[in-house]
Amino acid sequence: MDDDEEQRRAERAAQADYHVAAQERREAAESVKAQVLIDRFVERANAAGLPTEELTASPWSGGGRYRTGVSGWYLKQNRSIGVSTDGGYYVLVVAPERFGRWRRVALAPTPPPLQVGKGGRDGDSVALDILLDLRFDWSDVPGS
């Protein structure tokens, strides 16, 4: 390999690193804005008396639900996204776990996006603020 080719590879690697870092910065800034929306939702939900429940997760394959020990609200009616009472954002689809139906599965909050389902199938993507507002239209909201 000659020096020119090595230099071009090094430049391409540096450009790729730059773009990865820029994407990470954009996602971090987006998550900060999304967390503000979630915190407002938690305040509104508590003020409105929106009942909480233990969030459950489903395995990628197969049926059933796994207990998580996290209390909060589902944001999608298919129970794939949830928010805990302390403002944590959870994706509730997990790897299949042996004996998961009988034990609690460990679930960690993830950085929230402003666009839920981005990159998914048509119709699966929705803005987080709209999703949070729609949650109050469900039948378990007092007075609805």
Side-chain angles (χ1 to χ4, degrees), residues 7-141:
Q7 184 177 0
R8 283 193 301 273
R9 284 186 182 183
E11 288 172 1
R12 283 195 302 265
Q15 287 177 344
D17 290 343
Y18 170 79
H19 288 291
V20 167
Q23 180 67 26
E24 288 172 353
R25 286 191 302 273
R26 281 191 298 271
E27 288 173 358
E30 180 180 300
S31 289
V32 168
K33 292 176 184 176
Q35 189 62 53
V36 170
L37 295 173
I38 289 174
D39 292 342
R40 286 185 195 149
F41 168 80
V42 171
E43 288 176 19
R44 271 183 68 201
N46 285 325
L50 191 64
T52 61
E53 59 186 297
E54 180 180 9
L55 301 178
T56 59
S58 63
W60 294 332
S61 60
R65 303 289 299 177
Y66 300 159
R67 292 179 301 129
T68 64
V70 176
S71 180
W73 305 271
Y74 293 103
L75 295 185
K76 296 181 81 176
Q77 290 191 346
N78 68 2
R79 298 176 171 237
S80 62
I81 303 290
V83 170
S84 66
T85 55
D86 63 355
Y89 177 85
Y90 293 89
V91 176
L92 299 169
V93 180
V94 298
E97 189 167 315
R98 189 173 187 177
F99 303 115
R101 291 189 192 187
W102 295 279
R103 300 182 192 152
R104 284 190 174 150
V105 295
L107 195 62
T110 59
L114 283 174
Q115 190 71 26
V116 176
K118 181 170 41 175
R121 298 178 304 193
D122 287 348
D124 283 351
S125 180
V126 63
L128 180 64
D129 58 341
I130 293 171
L131 192 62
L132 294 170
D133 286 340
L134 288 173
R135 178 58 179 93
F136 286 98
D137 293 338
W138 290 13
S139 62
D140 64 353
V141 178

